[in-house]
């Protein structure tokens, strides 16, 4: 009843009153009509921006025009078509640094396939050794968690910094205490996400210099942060910054970057070489000489036809401005949080539990939650998925490759996990379904709603209607 009243036409006025900054982002409504009209045409409610950003028509046209205007050959040569490709790749590389205000004296942009590819470069080449540490927050994507296997295999110790409920943030003092414990004669890597892809929490960028002052190298996973927040590498100086461009502006897929401090990059040592990564490689002489970065880390032929589309995408964001994107995302996030938390069954029990902060302070537009019936039981994901599908709503369910945050949010204990993993049947392999049977029903994870570049008030209203449907 209450929700229906709040969702009347005056509802939008209430929203604007509470979030007047939304009004200043109205150019995005125009952009959505002219550039993202397919959303309306096909009736989509897209709320999976942490999964992938969306692209504008103008990005596609500009890229197509570019491809039609010249002949592009494989870079790595001095013939005219090769030079043409090389020039555009280097121009895009320079633009990436400029976009993040990263000085070319300090940073280099290495093109990769995606953020995971960037993380793998760090993991496989970081000089972990006995007595060294890999410290990471519970809140991390699996591609950051995966680096622990390299650390383990080279004798380094791995420590997870826990998250505190209910906000799923890290206790600063506990972290600083942990950062103080290191062997300064060793190589020590600290990794965390600027924004959680599970809860939307934005972790402090002050940790970067705090850790570096103690002698740590810092890997700041920016994949979920940069789609809606400016990362200024003139202000903060993490050693490694992995990201995926499709998360920022939708197109092209298949390109990410590792933006790395040159000084720290020198510590990395790769145990293989490939086409393009050497100055000289000899078979009879049994030697290879690595090229300088970025070439030393870019295996084989770059995605040279699509890399120019990265510059087109970055210019697109520049024209809109992060300020406007951020205002819009935060306004919509605040409104959604506020309305979701007021939804109650007739017996007074809440419809949803949100995992993470309930206000807009130091958080982005990613919200993880579960739906509960009047008896307090989790509503099964397949019912939510079915209903969302009928309403053409794109949301995501599960752990979002962030098991650490998910396990803390859903209170899945280490003992529960150990007793599941130690069953003889799961010695070598376990499927998603087996895992869910083992830790039912918590192992179905959460629902994730994420707000981005061209989200609007109607999207949020559509999600609230969807939620309302689960009140008995
Ligand atoms: C925070 C974070 N880091 C890393 C990744 C990995 O990105 P990709 O799958 O593009 O390699 C993701 C993807 O969702 C992410 O959200």
């Amino acid at each position: 009843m209450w929700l229906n009243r709040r969702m009347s036409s005056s509802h939008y006025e209430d929203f604007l009153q509470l979030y007047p900054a939304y009004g200043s982002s109205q150019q995005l409504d125009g952009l959505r009509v002219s550039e993202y009209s397919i959303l309306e045409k096909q009736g989509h409610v897209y709320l999976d921006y942490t999964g992938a950003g969306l692209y504008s028509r103008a990005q596609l046209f500009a890229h197509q025009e570019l491809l039609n205007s010249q002949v592009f050959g494989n870079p790595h040569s001095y013939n005219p078509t090769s030079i043409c490709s090389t020039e555009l790749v280097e121009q895009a590389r320079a633009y990436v640094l400029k976009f993040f205000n990263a000085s070319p004296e300090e940073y280099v942009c290495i093109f990769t396939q995606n953020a995971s590819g960037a993380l793998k470069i760090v993991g496989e080449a970081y000089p972990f050794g006995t007595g060294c540490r890999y410290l990471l927050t519970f809140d991390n994507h699996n591609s950051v968690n995966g680096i622990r296997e390299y650390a383990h295999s080279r004798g380094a110790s791995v420590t997870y910094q826990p998250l505190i409920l209910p906000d799923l943030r890290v206790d600063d003092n506990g972290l600083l205490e942990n950062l103080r414990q290191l062997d300064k004669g060793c190589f020590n890597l600290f990794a965390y996400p600027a924004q959680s892809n599970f809860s939307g929490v934005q972790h402090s960028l002050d940790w970067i210099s705090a850790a570096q002052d103690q002698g740590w190298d810092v890997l700041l996973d920016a994949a979920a942060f940069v789609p809606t927040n400016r990362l200024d590498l003139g202000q903060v100086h993490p050693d490694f910054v992995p990201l995926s461009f499709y998360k920022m502006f939708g197109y092209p897929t298949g390109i990410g970057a590792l933006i790395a401090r040159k000084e720290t990059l020198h510590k990395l040592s790769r145990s293989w070489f490939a086409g393009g990564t050497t100055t000289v490689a000899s078979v009879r002489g049994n030697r290879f000489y690595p090229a300088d970065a970025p070439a030393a880390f870019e295996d084989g032929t770059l995605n040279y036809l699509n890399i120019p589309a990265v510059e087109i995408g970055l210019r697109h964001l520049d024209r809109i401005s992060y300020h406007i994107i951020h205002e819009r995302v935060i306004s919509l996030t605040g409104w959604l949080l506020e309305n979701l938390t007021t939804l109650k069954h007739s017996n007074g029990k809440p419809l949803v539990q949100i995992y993470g902060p309930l206000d807009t302070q130091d958080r982005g537009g990613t919200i993880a939650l579960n739906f509960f019936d009047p008896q307090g039981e989790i509503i099964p994901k397949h019912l939510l998925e079915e209903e969302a599908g009928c309403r053409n709503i794109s949301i995501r369910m599960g752990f979002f490759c962030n098991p650490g945050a998910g396990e803390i949010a859903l209170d899945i204990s280490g003992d529960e996990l150990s007793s599941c993993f130690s069953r003889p049947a799961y010695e070598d392999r376990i499927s998603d379904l087996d895992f869910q049977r083992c830790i039912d029903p918590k192992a179905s994870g959460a629902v994730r709603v994420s707000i981005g570049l061209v989200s609007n008030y109607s999207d949020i209203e559509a999600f609230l209607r969807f939620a309302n449907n689960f009140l008995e």
Side-chain angles (χ1 to χ4, degrees):
M1 246 345 251
W2 179 89
L3 184 80
N4 288 337
R5 182 158 43 79
R6 293 282 301 257
M7 286 177 63
S8 70
S9 59
S10 68
H11 199 195
Y12 182 59
E13 303 304 320
D14 295 348
F15 165 65
L16 283 183
Q17 256 187 8
L18 263 176
Y19 296 96
Y22 184 83
S24 65
S25 72
Q26 270 170 356
Q27 76 172 78
L28 282 168
D29 292 321
L31 195 76
R32 177 160 162 152
V33 170
S34 62
E35 293 294 326
Y36 299 81
S37 54
I38 194 160
L39 286 172
E40 250 68 45
K41 242 183 243 158
Q42 298 188 353
H44 283 283
V45 176
Y46 188 79
L47 290 167
D48 191 20
Y49 285 88
T50 304
L54 299 181
Y55 51 83
S56 66
R57 280 150 48 97
Q59 282 170 259
L60 295 188
F61 290 141
H63 187 216
Q64 196 181 30
E65 206 171 288
L66 182 76
L67 295 183
N68 277 325
S69 69
Q70 292 178 62
V71 179
F72 296 102
N74 191 323
H76 293 157
S77 180
Y78 293 102
N79 69 58
T81 50
S82 180
I83 289 172
C84 197
S85 300
T86 303
E87 277 175 3
L88 282 181
V89 166
E90 294 315 312
Q91 186 182 310
R93 200 191 296 286
Y95 200 83
V96 171
L97 292 184
K98 182 164 173 259
F99 183 87
F100 291 106
N101 193 26
S103 154
E105 270 72 57
E106 184 181 8
Y107 280 100
V108 62
C109 165
I110 297 163
F111 284 119
T112 60
Q113 203 181 350
N114 45 35
S116 302
L119 288 157
K120 190 161 180 239
I121 289 176
V122 178
E124 67 187 4
Y126 191 79
F128 291 118
T130 310
C132 305
R133 292 187 67 194
Y134 180 42
L135 172 64
L136 66 169
T137 48
F138 258 69
D139 187 3
N140 259 311
H141 190 274
N142 265 341
S143 301
V144 180
N145 289 324
I147 292 178
R148 76 178 186 214
E149 301 304 315
Y150 288 113
H152 280 314
S153 70
R154 293 186 215 126
S157 69
V158 175
T159 318
Y160 274 101
Q161 186 68 36
L163 301 177
I164 311 284
L165 286 166
D167 278 6
L168 299 176
R169 294 190 192 275
V170 170
D171 169 44
D172 278 86
N173 291 331
L175 174 65
L176 293 177
E177 181 53 40
N178 211 337
L179 286 170
R180 276 194 280 275
Q181 294 163 29
L182 80 167
D183 172 353
K184 293 201 177 180
C186 213
F187 295 101
N188 300 287
L189 183 64
F190 169 47
Y192 75 99
Q195 179 172 316
S196 171
N197 71 324
F198 186 94
S199 63
V201 161
Q202 293 183 341
H203 298 292
S204 172
L205 298 181
D206 293 343
W207 297 347
I208 298 167
S209 60
Q212 286 168 332
D213 288 349
Q214 299 288 335
W216 293 81
D217 295 318
V218 177
L219 186 161
L220 180 76
D221 179 359
F225 183 78
V226 290
T228 56
N229 302 275
R230 172 164 296 291
L231 177 64
D232 184 340
L233 295 177
Q235 295 286 324
V236 291
H237 303 267
D239 296 278
F240 303 110
V241 182
L243 53 92
S244 281
F245 291 109
Y246 71 87
K247 289 198 188 286
M248 299 175 74
F249 37 77
Y251 176 87
T253 51
I255 305 180
L258 174 64
I259 304 176
R261 286 186 70 225
K262 290 179 177 171
E263 204 180 293
T264 320
L265 209 50
H266 280 129
K267 298 179 186 173
L268 301 193
S269 158
R270 305 192 81 194
S271 54
W272 92 313
F273 63 90
T277 69
T278 60
T279 52
V280 172
S282 161
V283 172
R284 280 197 159 149
N286 194 28
R287 276 293 297 269
F288 78 93
Y289 294 84
D292 288 334
F297 297 94
E298 293 176 338
D299 300 336
T301 303
L302 280 171
N303 192 343
Y304 61 92
L305 289 181
N306 280 330
I307 285 175
V310 167
E311 182 179 342
I312 293 169
L314 292 172
R315 287 185 187 278
H316 177 62
L317 289 190
D318 261 344
R319 268 193 299 275
I320 301 167
S321 103
Y322 267 118
H323 174 69
I324 287 184
I325 298 167
H326 187 78
E327 288 295 357
R328 166 159 294 226
V329 166
I330 284 305
S331 303
L332 293 172
T333 303
W335 183 250
L336 180 55
L337 286 167
E338 205 172 292
N339 278 280
L340 281 173
T341 46
T342 54
L343 298 179
K344 301 263 195 291
H345 291 290
S346 55
N347 64 4
K349 292 241 173 127
L351 174 68
V352 302
Q353 181 180 359
I354 292 170
Y355 306 112
L358 298 180
D359 59 21
T360 54
Q361 186 70 34
D362 297 329
R363 66 131 54 241
T366 302
I367 301 174
L369 70 161
N370 262 318
F371 287 72
F372 294 83
D373 66 18
Q375 285 70 48
E377 301 292 331
I378 290 186
I379 297 179
K381 298 289 178 301
H382 70 91
L383 294 181
L384 300 170
E385 228 150 31
E386 226 169 80
E387 185 62 29
C390 289
R391 292 167 182 256
N392 219 6
I393 297 178
S394 292
I395 47 180
R396 199 165 279 260
M397 325 250 165
F399 286 89
F400 329 117
C401 293
N402 189 332
E407 286 161 14
I408 291 188
L410 288 142
D411 193 23
I412 303 174
S413 70
D415 286 348
E416 270 174 286
L417 290 162
S418 304
S419 95
C420 169
F421 297 150
S422 62
R423 290 189 194 176
Y426 304 143
E427 199 172 314
D428 297 319
R429 304 190 78 80
I430 184 167
S431 70
D432 286 7
L433 265 180
D434 290 337
F435 183 55
Q436 290 197 15
R437 272 186 221 115
C438 235
I439 307 200
D440 186 58
K442 295 184 286 188
S444 69
V447 177
R448 186 177 77 183
V449 184
S450 51
I451 297 169
L453 184 66
V454 286
S455 294
N456 65 10
Y457 177 79
S458 313
D459 293 331
I460 304 306
E461 190 173 280
F463 185 76
L464 287 170
R465 274 204 213 96
F466 158 83
N468 204 23
N469 190 57
F470 290 94
L471 288 173
E472 80 282 31

